[in-house]
Amino acid sequence: MKCSYACGTAEHRIARRQFLGTLGAAAGMATGGLGMLTHPATAQHLEKSGKRILMIFMAGGLSQLESWDPKPGTDTGGPFRAIPTSVPGIHISELLPHTARQMHRLAIVRSVNINENEHGKGRYIMETGRRQEPSIDYPRLGSVAAKLLAPEDSPLPGYVHITPGGNGFSKGEAAFLGPKYGAVTLGNGQPPQNSVRPDAIPSEADVRRHQLRQRVSDHFARRRRTAETEAYTYSYEQARQLMAQREVFDVSNEPQKDLDRYGTHDFGRHCLLARRLLEKGITFVKVTHSNYDTHHENFNFHLEQLGEFDRTFATLVEDLADRGMLESTLLMVISEFGRTPRINHQFGRDHWGKAWSVLTGGCGIQPGAVVGKTNDNGTEVVDREVNGGHLFHTYLQAVGIDSHGEYDVGGRPVPLADPETEPIKELLL
Amino acid sequence: MVIRLYWLASRLARGKSGRTPSNSRLRVLLYQMVWVASLAGVCLGDDSAPLHVRVDEAIRAAYDGPMAPRSDDAEFLRRVYLDLTGSIPDVETTRLFLNDPSSDKRQQLIDRLLSSPQYARHMATVFDVMWMERRGGNRVSPDEWRRYLRDAFAKNRPLNELAGEILAADGARRGPRAAARFYLDRDAETNLLTRDVARLFFGKSLQCAQCHDHPLVDAYVQEDYYGLYAFLSRGYLVSDKNLKLDVYAEKADGDVKYQSVFMPEETHETRPHLPGQAPIDEPDLKEDERYEVPPADKVAAVPKYSRRERLGRLIAEGASRDFAENMVNRLWAMMMGRGLVEPVGWHHEDNPPSHPALLTLLTDAFVASRFDVRWFLRELAFSETYQRSSLLPEGVDPQSIPEDRFAVATLKPLTPEQLAWSMMQATGIADTRKVQVAQKFRSEDPRYDDLLNADPPRQTIKATLLDERLYTASKGDIGRFVGLFSGLPGEPEEYQANVQQALFLSNDGKLLGWLSPSHQGGQANLAARLAQLETPAAVAEELYLSILTRHPDNQERALVAELLTDQSPQDRQALLRDLAWALLTSTEFRFNH
């Protein structure tokens, strides 16, 4: 696939001009020089901007009522109270006391309605800004960042996902951007798959075998066309560089006191690893915290899960701010959807995409902002309703990408973000 | 040839009027087709010469710069094995072929490979990847679909017939269930199907034309998009309660109306038609006579007149020049490394073929052969164009020769499947499995085995059965390669080298395990054979023949000798492992050259 971001959009811009009625002029231009008419992408500029994204994914569906949009004392509010935060007037659930103290660095969107209650579909909307369509698969935000923000020739992956479970490489997340921009999964924080030299091959032997490989390849390349063979040879070079930089993925290199501050549980270790990766130049880091799918015992589960989340997350936000990284790091805490205001007979809350909240902050985001509102008992959005598309636009704009740009997918222009929606301007700096 | 075309044209025209109302436009088109073909015949000289000769004439006529010489036997052997069977050859085959003094050994080999079970298996993979584009979905079992394709290529079914069957399929009443995978595992979504049918069967990337005429490609018009769409728009996915299957059923009504986004006030209407052709005539049935099975809840409707069946029949009858040309171009690209129209799937006036007369010639010949894929590939493989080396004469800058002249063989990255099979073949794991599979087959039923050994036709059946079992035994390993090296679902497969692949090839434990000596099933793998060889010369020979399908040159022999000097047995084994790994991961192995 060709994917010349923004410069491949020429045809459609012309098409749009025709649509707007300036037919005569456009027709004349349709044959040549279109590339020059459009303003080339700022991709090169962005590559050097050092913008990063941290996504915390609360798998299963975090309850907005036990987090960012509490409704204490109502029929839907549950047992927990709301507490004040570092921003006067903003209250969040008492389950998040540490995060409350970081509120001046964060922002809440309380009016998310994605109109979807299935895990897979909700997650798709939240990570691509679109509903699933049979005819086209859209790249996840992580792959978009890897493509548009990460340095092109880095041996380190642009999109890293830290999650409980196994190691792997989810190239499918990149959709039409190409496998290269897929997610490298660090299962339970382990270094990338196959990044360890096997014990059977000592380091001198490793050097030797690569030299031999190179020698055979050089012999082959003489008197042959080489564009594609070079890409192949280069991939080994990158693999060796990645292996050499493997310590980037090794959280045990972080000071013990930081391990203690983040918490000795998996999520603590994963967030500390996320800090390390962001510091070492990984563009997009996603950390999955599992599991919030609380159809039973919603309150006990949230007490427990958020107990783990709160201090760790707040520590991470504070560290990013202290290290001067927050201005260049966009962060978001999302789920596939929220949870029903109605409490079921097993003290659970069910899937709920209609009126819930997302937390964001850092790069490009108005600190201390609250956007949108739900009604008194949280059953409906009453102000500034947004969906996954608005959020996706906003994330892109926040890191300096024109979210109204287009990809060229095999000659067809595909908008970066859902053209039916717009960035949430009041959330952006 | 011209006569054969006339015969075909009249047959087609008769066929049409026999079954459907006469279609004069089609006859005009066929007449024109034959007329153009005869002109092309005049331009390209003797039209009684075999196709491969005329291919070479056309390539030479279009380029007078330096060309690569004929490939040597080793280069040819590796290439033709990869292209026609999907794997490099085993080392014994390589030895025999290189030592064979007969002058027609290349032709003999080509014919042998084209009738092998591996040819059918490989072609099934090629067409699976082409038509399904690595999509998941399990409405039709992927294995059933693969076997369906395999069987089609083993029988050398005419490609128009196969494609027609797939395009007509509903997954229940029309054609075998497997044929419906193209539709069913695309969720029977009409726009997606229209786009993929246009691109994969007709070579036209019409997606832009869904909403408006293509702004830059004059030939890609909305009318053609909706003409094709109309064949499919009555289709719908239903879970049939009686059949207990998902079926791509069809209603008997529903007309297609569309507007351009640029002129939303103007509504157009169209009956079905093939791209660039006039709408087809359709029977006018009374309202109460339109269904064999009327639509009902969880019952797949069956119309008396099916538009989709009509689409399939048009293809099977050869009514679409676009279809023939697209298939010719894709088969050419498979063999030669790039299409005459490049990229494939983008046939239109502003993207002309690199050799227009040649494409015409090939398409005419393919149609005249009644879409005979085996014959067509055989002709391509016989050509000097195919057999040219990828290595240029000394002093010629590779970059100075335009890629679309076919003056030097194009380097083709191995597909994920070719890479997996070839690595298994080179290291000996494939041979070990072949022996194990054959032993197990015999032990399960010795009398059946004896029966199948009795004569050549039965031996062919047995070879196919064993090859299927070999495939099953190797599926997991192939899957690991596909997982890392393939393109993405719904996208045309494209070569892309990345870090994850290199990490896998460098460090994967199982892959490296193939490089340790083993004698499973009484079969020594490559490492075990190397361990038993005493002289460095013999080691070098075995290594290069097994992995790179060629003899080592003097320099390479000297290098192996130098490395093996004064090694302890343990170091020697490690060194041989690393040498074998270096050859396996070299660019020479990674590409079909």
Side-chain angles (χ1 to χ4, degrees):
Chain A
M1 183 221 61
K2 283 185 306 217
C3 187
S4 47
Y5 163 60
C7 61
T9 65
E11 343 183 310
H12 236 225
R13 295 213 174 146
I14 286 300
R16 200 174 291 128
R17 272 186 217 116
Q18 286 175 336
F19 179 52
L20 294 172
T22 53
L23 254 169
M29 294 190 288
T31 44
L34 289 178
M36 290 182 277
L37 286 175
T38 57
H39 294 285
T42 47
Q44 288 91 335
H45 166 70
L46 287 171
E47 271 179 25
K48 297 188 180 73
S49 71
K51 300 272 170 69
R52 287 154 295 208
I53 302 178
L54 169 67
M55 173 189 284
I56 311 273
F57 193 81
M58 311 291 259
L62 169 71
S63 167
Q64 69 284 1
L65 297 158
E66 275 68 55
S67 57
W68 319 121
D69 194 12
K71 305 283 182 188
T74 67
D75 58 333
T76 57
F80 302 119
R81 292 174 304 156
I83 54 170
T85 65
S86 58
V87 180
I90 301 184
H91 289 66
I92 62 174
S93 168
E94 64 170 329
L95 299 180
L96 297 158
H98 294 93
T99 306
R101 285 196 281 279
Q102 300 297 326
M103 205 59 231
H104 59 290
R105 297 178 164 134
L106 303 168
I108 305 176
V109 182
R110 281 183 173 152
S111 50
V112 183
N113 178 2
I114 59 167
N115 197 19
E116 180 57 63
N117 294 331
E118 268 183 52
H119 287 289
K121 290 179 178 169
R123 187 177 131 182
Y124 190 89
I125 291 170
M126 294 306 290
E127 289 198 72
T128 66
R130 262 112 160 174
R131 302 194 81 82
Q132 250 164 332
E133 291 171 34
S135 55
I136 182 168
D137 186 26
Y138 292 101
R140 315 303 183 269
L141 185 61
S143 298
V144 174
K147 169 80 185 170
L148 299 179
L149 292 180
E152 188 61 30
D153 51 359
S154 169
L156 295 175
Y159 174 10
V160 171
H161 180 198
I162 308 166
T163 179
N167 262 5
F169 177 50
S170 308
K171 60 184 185 181
E173 303 214 347
F176 52 71
L177 298 179
K180 191 174 159 188
Y181 304 104
V184 169
T185 305
L186 310 183
N188 201 23
Q190 296 303 304
Q193 202 168 29
N194 294 316
S195 64
V196 191
R197 182 167 42 75
D199 292 338
I201 302 176
S203 95
E204 320 82 72
D206 194 39
V207 172
R208 184 184 61 191
R209 67 178 183 150
H210 279 285
Q211 280 170 349
L212 288 168
R213 176 183 54 74
Q214 192 58 52
R215 203 162 156 164
V216 183
S217 299
D218 288 347
H219 180 271
F220 179 74
R222 267 187 70 236
R223 291 157 59 200
R224 282 191 173 91
R225 286 206 184 92
T226 52
E228 292 188 327
T229 58
E230 273 164 14
Y232 178 61
T233 305
Y234 184 56
S235 70
Y236 285 98
E237 191 44 48
Q238 286 193 308
R240 298 190 67 203
Q241 286 176 24
L242 185 143
M243 288 166 68
Q245 295 183 46
R246 197 165 166 272
E247 52 83 31
V248 165
F249 303 95
D250 187 353
V251 76
S252 68
N253 287 326
E254 293 294 319
Q256 183 59 44
K257 68 168 177 31
D258 280 351
L259 280 168
D260 296 340
R261 284 169 59 232
Y262 276 75
T264 48
H265 43 75
D266 286 348
F267 185 65
R269 211 158 40 78
H270 295 172
C271 281
L272 183 58
L273 177 58
R275 185 190 80 183
R276 181 177 174 81
L277 294 174
L278 292 166
E279 262 181 331
K280 301 277 182 187
I282 304 282
T283 298
F284 188 97
V285 180
K286 173 180 171 183
V287 181
T288 291
H289 192 214
S290 202
N291 183 302
Y292 290 87
D293 199 12
T294 52
H295 295 283
H296 320 274
E297 293 292 342
N298 174 71
F299 305 105
N300 282 329
F301 268 110
H302 274 80
L303 185 67
E304 204 172 295
Q305 290 282 104
L306 287 176
E308 205 169 86
F309 169 85
D310 180 45
R311 187 168 71 115
T312 304
F313 176 69
T315 308
L316 180 54
V317 173
E318 191 166 22
D319 280 3
L320 292 177
D322 286 353
R323 290 166 190 229
M325 290 166 68
L326 204 55
E327 296 99 80
S328 57
T329 309
L330 169 70
L331 56 87
M332 66 211 61
V333 178
I334 63 167
S335 287
E336 48 269 63
F337 37 61
R339 307 213 73 84
T340 47
R342 198 184 73 87
I343 299 161
N344 69 28
H345 62 280
Q346 290 167 307
F347 302 108
R349 295 190 193 269
D350 301 312
H351 301 173
W352 176 252
K354 241 186 89 181
W356 58 291
S357 309
V358 156
L359 184 82
T360 181
C363 180
I365 299 290
Q366 195 78 50
V370 170
V371 169
K373 212 174 150 186
T374 50
N375 64 5
D376 287 346
N377 58 359
T379 57
E380 245 177 289
V381 171
V382 293
D383 180 38
R384 189 55 166 123
E385 179 174 303
V386 298
N387 63 30
H390 299 96
L391 291 167
F392 200 80
H393 269 286
T394 309
Y395 302 147
L396 296 186
Q397 295 287 356
V399 293
I401 298 169
D402 175 10
S403 63
H404 297 95
E406 288 165 336
Y407 303 105
D408 174 356
V409 182
R412 184 165 61 126
V414 174
L416 258 68
D418 181 1
E420 304 279 301
T421 56
E422 282 289 325
I424 307 168
K425 294 233 165 59
E426 60 272 36
L427 202 53
L428 291 165
L429 281 176
Chain B
M1 186 167 98
V2 171
I3 292 166
R4 284 185 74 182
L5 270 166
Y6 270 120
W7 167 81
L8 182 86
S10 57
R11 193 178 71 97
L12 286 172
R14 261 204 320 276
K16 291 233 72 56
S17 57
R19 266 167 269 176
T20 59
S22 71
N23 188 333
S24 51
R25 275 172 186 276
L26 181 68
R27 265 187 264 139
V28 170
L29 185 84
L30 285 164
Y31 174 79
Q32 287 168 343
M33 214 171 95
V34 174
W35 173 242
V36 171
S38 63
L39 277 183
V42 170
C43 299
L44 290 170
D46 181 8
D47 73 354
S48 65
L51 183 64
H52 66 268
V53 172
R54 305 179 68 206
V55 165
D56 293 330
E57 284 169 6
I59 293 292
R60 286 200 168 270
Y63 187 64
D64 56 6
M67 285 191 167
R70 189 175 194 242
S71 54
D72 67 21
D73 280 348
E75 191 180 8
F76 168 76
L77 173 69
R78 185 176 191 269
R79 184 186 302 165
V80 79
Y81 251 86
L82 281 164
D83 285 332
L84 298 183
T85 75
S87 170
I88 61 167
D90 64 88
V91 67
E92 276 325 302
T93 302
T94 303
R95 282 206 172 88
L96 283 172
F97 185 78
L98 296 185
N99 294 334
D100 182 351
S102 50
S103 60
D104 64 343
K105 65 179 178 180
R106 292 195 183 191
Q107 284 84 335
Q108 281 184 29
L109 176 68
I110 290 166
D111 283 332
R112 184 163 65 74
L113 296 184
L114 283 169
S115 54
S116 70
Q118 289 75 26
Y119 163 76
R121 184 231 289 154
H122 173 59
M123 291 302 284
T125 305
V126 170
F127 276 77
D128 168 35
V129 174
M130 181 201 297
W131 279 335
M132 292 312 296
E133 296 187 322
R134 308 281 183 197
R135 283 174 190 280
N138 216 0
R139 288 203 173 88
V140 171
S141 127
D143 263 334
E144 198 182 325
W145 158 251
R146 198 186 48 77
R147 280 196 295 270
Y148 165 72
L149 292 175
R150 176 182 188 135
D151 185 57
F153 287 101
K155 293 186 176 128
N156 197 32
R157 290 182 64 191
L159 194 56
N160 57 334
E161 185 190 306
L162 177 66
E165 189 168 275
I166 288 168
L167 290 176
D170 61 4
R173 300 177 42 128
R174 249 193 331 267
R177 169 96 186 145
R181 181 151 200 253
F182 184 88
Y183 290 135
L184 287 174
D185 283 324
R186 281 177 173 80
D187 301 334
E189 207 278 321
T190 312
N191 279 311
L192 171 62
L193 290 178
T194 306
R195 276 156 40 176
D196 282 1
V197 168
R199 183 167 54 91
L200 299 170
F201 289 86
F202 297 100
K204 293 178 185 291
S205 299
L206 291 180
Q207 56 265 56
C208 277
Q210 182 180 338
C211 308
H212 46 72
D213 290 350
H214 197 291
L216 292 184
V217 182
D218 287 344
Y220 287 177
V221 292
Q222 209 180 359
E223 193 191 325
D224 277 348
Y225 181 91
Y226 283 97
L228 210 47
Y229 181 92
F231 280 113
L232 303 165
S233 63
R234 291 175 176 178
Y236 66 103
L237 193 62
V238 59
S239 212
D240 190 289
K241 64 182 176 194
N242 302 318
L243 300 166
K244 304 214 174 354
L245 282 174
D246 287 348
V247 175
Y248 186 30
E250 185 173 346
K251 296 206 167 130
D253 51 20
D255 291 319
V256 171
K257 292 188 176 132
Y258 62 94
Q259 299 93 21
S260 167
V261 292
F262 302 139
M263 281 167 255
E265 66 286 350
E266 232 178 277
T267 297
H268 309 266
E269 204 172 330
T270 186
R271 271 180 289 136
H273 62 88
L274 296 178
Q277 298 189 16
I280 57 168
D281 294 324
E282 301 188 287
D284 190 13
L285 300 174
K286 281 194 200 124
E287 192 129 350
D288 56 349
E289 288 174 5
R290 286 184 184 164
Y291 284 102
E292 280 175 38
V293 180
D297 186 36
K298 294 192 179 159
V299 172
V302 181
K304 283 215 173 106
Y305 164 71
S306 158
R307 284 185 166 181
R308 197 171 344 125
E309 196 268 333
R310 201 49 201 285
L311 172 66
R313 195 141 47 85
L314 284 169
I315 296 307
E317 287 168 350
S320 170
R321 177 78 178 177
D322 291 333
F323 168 74
E325 205 174 271
N326 170 51
M327 285 302 157
V328 158
N329 191 53
R330 286 174 186 269
L331 291 170
W332 173 278
M334 171 191 129
M335 295 293 276
M336 308 292 186
R338 64 176 284 132
L340 291 167
V341 173
E342 184 74 20
V344 297
W346 281 95
H347 292 246
H348 62 82
E349 282 151 28
D350 299 324
N351 184 34
S354 58
H355 298 71
L358 177 57
L359 183 59
T360 304
L361 167 73
L362 290 169
T363 307
D364 291 343
F366 188 52
V367 171
S369 77
R370 296 203 236 173
F371 299 84
D372 183 338
V373 175
R374 190 177 281 162
W375 170 81
F376 187 74
L377 293 179
R378 179 176 187 268
E379 288 296 320
L380 293 188
F382 275 20
S383 72
E384 127 194 336
T385 305
Y386 176 76
Q387 295 191 19
R388 205 162 275 142
S389 178
S390 64
L391 197 64
L392 281 166
E394 201 78 57
V396 177
D397 174 11
Q399 320 301 338
S400 73
I401 301 182
E403 286 187 46
D404 67 357
R405 292 301 96 189
F406 302 98
V408 54
T410 306
L411 298 187
K412 294 173 282 197
L414 301 195
T415 64
E417 286 86 354
Q418 283 173 332
L419 189 60
W421 282 111
S422 296
M423 287 211 171
M424 292 189 288
Q425 184 62 67
T427 55
I429 185 89
D431 289 333
T432 303
R433 283 194 185 137
K434 274 177 213 163
V435 171
Q436 288 170 334
V437 158
Q439 284 168 350
K440 184 148 187 289
F441 186 78
R442 172 142 195 98
S443 70
E444 278 170 17
D445 192 344
R447 284 199 311 178
Y448 184 44
D449 194 36
D450 287 338
L451 203 68
L452 290 179
N453 288 334
D455 57 44
R458 291 187 219 185
Q459 283 161 15
T460 308
I461 294 172
K462 179 178 162 184
T464 299
L465 288 173
L466 291 184
D467 191 67
E468 254 313 282
R469 290 188 174 207
L470 175 67
Y471 171 82
T472 306
S474 308
K475 213 171 150 182
D477 290 319
I478 297 168
R480 279 153 27 94
F481 279 84
V482 171
L484 276 168
F485 290 86
S486 74
L488 295 170
E491 302 283 329
E493 193 102 320
E494 224 174 59
Y495 165 74
Q496 196 180 57
N498 66 41
V499 189
Q500 275 69 35
Q501 297 162 356
L503 287 171
F504 167 74
L505 294 176
S506 300
N507 301 327
D508 179 70
K510 194 167 181 205
L511 191 68
L512 293 173
W514 293 352
L515 295 170
S516 301
S518 117
H519 287 91
Q520 283 181 48
Q523 182 79 15
N525 70 356
L526 171 65
R529 296 200 305 274
L530 292 174
Q532 281 155 10
L533 294 171
E534 284 180 11
T535 67
V539 168
E541 195 72 10
E542 187 71 23
L543 263 175
Y544 278 78
L545 283 175
S546 299
I547 301 176
L548 297 180
T549 319
R550 65 173 173 88
H551 294 294
D553 64 20
N554 289 337
Q555 244 186 336
E556 289 160 339
R557 276 195 196 92
L559 175 69
V560 172
E562 185 196 314
L563 288 166
L564 288 177
T565 309
D566 299 329
Q567 297 278 347
S568 72
Q570 219 179 350
D571 289 349
R572 187 177 192 269
Q573 192 184 319
L575 183 71
L576 290 174
R577 176 199 63 202
D578 295 345
L579 252 174
W581 180 86
L583 297 187
L584 273 179
T585 55
S586 67
T587 47
E588 183 169 348
F589 191 86
R590 180 70 182 85
F591 288 81
N592 184 359
H593 54 88

